Amino acid sequence: MNSMNGLVFAQSAGPWDAKQTLAPPTFVVNREQYNRMVRLTRQNVPVTMRLNLQAGVSNRNEESFNVVGEIPGGAKKDEIVMIGAHLDSWHSGTGATDNAAGSAVMIEVMRILKTLNLKLDRTVRIALWTGEEQGLYGSKAYVKEHL
């Protein structure tokens, strides 16, 4: 586990292929939570933790999809201005920082452009990639298919 600026990072989500053995379920505590437990135990104060884990895992490989949208351009509609973020999360992520925030910003860019109803020469395309945490699968698939 690594903690930086209030973000908690954990590893070992396991393989993508459902036929492979999964990593064991993991609980993560941030640095200050851990340090508090250490301080208490050093003072012989018992530490009690209450944990609740409920996990469900598919026994087959699941499909995932990129979300792609665009505002068509005018005079140079074949030229594309691309914006994007990854639309997935990490097993220990809250989803807010990884990566709802990035996706929300990109969606807001598109909303503002659409609301302003500007005459855009170039097409503006948004792509929200899937599978980025597992190996950039969504963006690689997009490049392979479109570029």
Side-chain angles (χ1 to χ4, degrees):
M1 180 190 80
N2 182 12
S3 177
M4 180 187 308
N5 298 324
L7 300 177
V8 176
F9 299 95
Q11 303 301 319
S12 300
W16 174 82
D17 192 335
K19 295 175 187 168
Q20 302 295 318
T21 303
L22 290 174
T26 304
F27 287 96
V28 178
V29 294
N30 68 35
R31 184 172 289 144
E32 182 49 35
Q33 291 169 329
Y34 174 80
N35 287 337
R36 182 166 191 242
M37 288 185 274
V38 169
R39 288 190 304 271
L40 288 170
T41 56
R42 286 182 179 161
Q43 295 175 21
N44 295 319
V45 176
V47 174
T48 302
M49 294 175 47
R50 189 178 320 168
L51 306 171
N52 180 11
L53 173 66
Q54 297 175 5
V57 179
S58 177
N59 62 358
R60 63 177 202 247
N61 290 337
E62 299 292 344
E63 294 291 325
S64 61
F65 302 92
N66 291 327
V67 176
V68 180
E70 63 183 38
I71 299 172
K76 299 179 181 182
K77 65 181 177 184
D78 293 336
E79 294 183 18
I80 308 240
V81 175
M82 188 100 189
I83 65 171
H86 66 98
L87 186 63
D88 62 2
S89 187
W90 193 234
H91 66 289
S92 65
T94 63
T97 56
D98 192 7
N99 185 28
S103 297
V105 168
M106 295 302 109
I107 292 168
E108 184 66 3
V109 167
M110 295 299 276
R111 187 196 67 76
I112 290 169
L113 288 174
K114 189 69 177 166
T115 299
L116 292 174
N117 200 25
L118 302 173
K119 301 281 188 219
L120 302 172
D121 284 341
R122 291 166 183 82
T123 297
V124 178
R125 182 173 297 157
I126 181 175
L128 302 177
W129 318 113
T130 189
E132 296 310 284
E133 300 290 2
Q134 293 73 33
L136 306 176
Y137 293 133
S139 55
K140 286 179 180 177
Y142 179 88
V143 168
K144 184 177 180 181
E145 184 176 340
H146 297 286
L147 304 175

